[in-house]
Amino acid sequence: MQLPPMELDPGGRYKDGPEFHISDIIAKKRDGSALSPEEIRFVVQAATKREAQESQLGALLMAIRLRGMDAEETRALTREMVTSGRVLQWPEEWSGRVVDKHSTGGVGDKVSLPLAPALAACGCKVPMISGRGLGHTGGTLDKLESVPGFSPQQSPEQMLEILRSVGCCIVGQSADLVPADKILYEMRDVTATVDSLPLITGSVISKKVAENLSALVLDVKFGEAAVSPTLEKARELANSLVSVGVSLGIPTVALISNMDSPIGRRVGNSLEVTEALECLEGAGPADLRDLVTRTGGYLLWLCGQAVSDTQGAERIAAALDDGSALRSFRAMMEAQGAEPEIARTLSSATILRRASHQEELQVERGGTVELIRARPIADILHALGAGRSQATDTINHSVGAELLVGMGQHVEKGDPWIRIHYESPLLRDTQRQTLQGAIRVTDCPPFTPASLIREVILPHGKKQEAGATVRREGEIS
Ligand code: IUR
C-alpha cells in the first residue's frame, strides 16, 4: 500500500488530515493496540525532523519492544523509514542485477569481502552498505580499513561511478539514506530496545529498500556469539525480515547460520583481510568458502542470473578459482582510495599490519577438538584493542587471533591451538585462562564439521530445484 505524502503543520497535525499527539500514540502501544499507518508515519516524521521529545521516542520504543508490532505495522514502519531519506537510483540496464547481502553480525565474519567482488565478476552490481563493529562482533568497514588509504566514505554519485567501472563497492551509510534509522538506532542503543524484532526489521530492511535492490540475501546468525541466542529466535527474525523485504518489493532469502565458533581460522581486522584474500585465491577455510558460495548462489538465483542456487554457487566458486573475483576486489580497493601499488598486488602474501607481540597457547590435554567458542575469544580481542570501547573510539587493526587447529581434529597435549597477536595493552594471565576455556577437547571421535547454514527461509511461492535443500517458507500475511 502506498500512502500519499502528508505534511505536518507546526502544531503536529496533518494539513487536511487527522490530528495526532505522540502521547496518545505511546498510550495506544503501551496498552497493546496496533498503530495505524498514519500514526506510524506521524511518529517517524516527527523523529526525523527532531520535533518529538527524546523522552517520548524512548517511551514509544520501549512500548514497541514490550508489546511488539504485527506484520502490517512493521511493514508501515519500514516504509516510513525509507521515506525519511533518499532512494538510490540505478541505470535502467542494470535492472534485475543490483544485489546485496546483510549479516546480523558475527565473529570472524569476513564473507562480504570475497562475496561482493565474486558477484561483480558474475555480472552483478553490488552497492554494499556495511557497518562497523558493534559490541564483540566485527565490522566489514573496520576490516577493510586495514588496507592503507581505503575509504568507506563514498557519495551516492561516487558509488554509481565505482559500480559502473568495477561492479561493486563496500561503503558506509551516507547521511541522507534513511536518516530515521540513525536517530532511532542511537536511541535504541541507550534505551535497551536494540533487540526488538520489528525495530531490527525496520532498521535492516529500510536501508536495503533505499539501496533499490533487485535481490537480497540475509545471513541471520544464532548461537552464543550472535544477536539471536537460539535457532527459534533467529527463525522468527528471519521470517520477519523476509516477509517485510518481499512485501516492499525485494526478492529476499534468509539463511540461518550457526555462530558459536569463529568463521574461518582468523579473527581481527587485518588478519581477516588476509583470510578473505585466501578465499579470493580459491583457497582458505572450507566453512568460509561454503558461506560465500552459497550466499552468492542464492543471490544469483533470486535475481535470475542462475537457474538454481546450486548453479549460482558453482558460478561464484568459479569466480573465486579463476582469479576474476580477486581482480574485482583489487579494482574496488583502488577505486576506494587504497594505495594503488598495494591495491594492484593485494594477495594473501601481502603484509598488512602486523602486531609487535605474538603468543601461542597450548592444549592442556589430548583428544578431539569438539568446540572452539567464539565469544570469549572475541571478548579478549576486544579488550586488547581489536574493537571500540566506550573509553576509546580507535581500534588496533593488527590485534587478532589465528586458530591453529580446527573443530573435529585430533590434537596431542601441548599442541599449539591459538596464536594471539597484540600490542598494548599486553595479554594478562586471567585473559590466558579465559582463552583456555574457549577450547573444548574431549574423547569423542574425530569428525567433519557440518555446514554452518542450518535453515533457508525462502519467499512465499519461490521453489528451488528438486533435490535442493528447501527448509521453510517466509510467512507473509
Ligand atoms: N544492524 C542494523 O542495521 N540494524 C539493527 O537494528 C541491527 C543490526 I540489531
Side-chain angles (χ1 to χ4, degrees), residues 128 141 144 149-154 162 168-172 330-338:
M128 192 175 273
L141 301 182
L144 286 169
F150 173 86
S151 169
Q153 249 86 54
Q154 306 290 334
I162 300 170
C168 60
C169 57
I170 303 183
V171 304
R330 289 171 171 166
M332 174 184 82
M333 296 306 285
E334 190 174 350
Q336 291 193 231

Side-chain angles (χ1 to χ4, degrees), residues 74-395:
T74 310
R75 194 153 42 215
L77 172 69
T78 310
R79 192 182 47 220
E80 291 310 327
M81 288 175 72
V82 176
T83 312
S84 73
R86 69 184 275 190
V87 174
L88 299 177
Q89 299 300 327
W90 309 116
E92 188 67 30
E93 65 267 25
W94 296 358
S95 162
R97 288 189 289 137
V98 184
V99 303
D100 194 6
K101 81 84 138 114
H102 180 87
S103 152
T104 58
V107 175
D109 186 356
K110 70 276 294 171
V111 167
S112 294
L113 274 56
L115 179 59
L119 286 162
C122 291
C124 290
K125 301 290 179 185
V126 193
M128 192 175 273
I129 296 179
S130 294
R132 299 200 173 273
L134 266 181
H136 68 276
T137 65
T140 298
L141 301 182
D142 295 330
K143 295 171 206 204
L144 286 169
E145 280 177 343
S146 311
V147 180
F150 173 86
S151 169
Q153 249 86 54
Q154 306 290 334
S155 68
E157 291 68 32
Q158 288 169 314
M159 287 172 72
L160 181 65
E161 203 37 57
I162 300 170
L163 290 190
R164 262 192 224 286
S165 57
V166 178
C168 60
C169 57
I170 303 183
V171 304
Q173 196 184 341
S174 71
D176 50 0
L177 217 68
V178 198
D181 180 56
K182 184 166 165 33
I183 293 162
L184 294 178
Y185 194 87
E186 278 169 14
M187 264 175 215
R188 284 165 60 202
D189 208 22
V190 293
T191 54
T193 53
V194 166
D195 63 350
S196 154
L197 195 128
L199 296 178
I200 297 175
T201 304
S203 168
V204 170
I205 300 296
S206 62
K207 285 175 280 192
K208 300 299 155 187
V209 175
E211 278 179 49
N212 208 347
L213 298 177
S214 320
L216 170 66
V217 171
L218 300 153
D219 183 357
V220 181
K221 305 216 168 280
F222 74 96
E224 191 189 24
V227 179
S228 308
T230 63
L231 179 62
E232 290 68 31
K233 284 263 172 225
R235 192 184 286 145
E236 220 185 314
L237 176 58
N239 270 312
S240 172
L241 291 165
V242 169
S243 140
V244 173
V246 170
S247 74
L248 294 179
I250 311 178
T252 307
V253 160
L255 313 178
I256 302 186
S257 66
N258 182 257
M259 191 62 254
D260 285 326
S261 302
I263 298 171
R265 293 282 186 100
R266 296 175 198 214
V267 184
N269 296 294
S270 64
L271 288 171
E272 289 192 44
V273 174
T274 304
E275 191 163 65
L277 284 160
E278 284 176 8
C279 182
L280 283 161
E281 291 162 1
D287 58 345
L288 174 62
R289 183 175 162 103
D290 181 62
L291 266 181
V292 172
T293 53
R294 290 184 66 191
T295 307
Y298 276 103
L299 275 170
L300 291 181
W301 169 62
L302 268 183
C303 71
Q305 302 283 313
V307 297
S308 66
D309 62 287
T310 315
Q311 190 200 50
E314 284 164 8
R315 289 192 56 201
I316 298 288
L320 297 175
D321 293 338
D322 69 13
S324 54
L326 179 61
R327 284 193 292 278
S328 296
F329 183 75
R330 289 171 171 166
M332 174 184 82
M333 296 306 285
E334 190 174 350
Q336 291 193 231
E339 288 173 20
E341 202 37 47
I342 296 177
R344 282 180 212 151
T345 55
L346 267 174
S347 78
S348 57
T350 308
I351 305 220
L352 288 168
R353 300 179 193 222
R354 195 195 286 274
S356 46
H357 294 74
Q358 294 180 15
E359 181 176 327
E360 292 178 0
L361 302 183
Q362 283 79 34
V363 288
E364 291 166 344
R365 59 158 288 184
T368 301
V369 180
E370 194 183 303
L371 182 68
I372 298 175
R373 291 170 55 216
R375 185 63 201 254
I377 297 173
D379 287 342
I380 300 291
L381 294 180
H382 197 278
L384 292 173
R388 287 180 188 75
S389 68
Q390 287 192 328
T392 106
D393 198 33
T394 55
I395 58 175

Side-chain angles (χ1 to χ4, degrees), residues 407-427:
M407 283 202 298
Q409 180 185 325
H410 176 80
V411 288
E412 299 290 343
K413 180 178 177 188
D415 281 351
W417 74 273
I418 191 168
R419 184 180 298 130
I420 304 292
H421 297 237
Y422 62 97
E423 273 170 350
S424 169
L426 298 176
L427 189 62

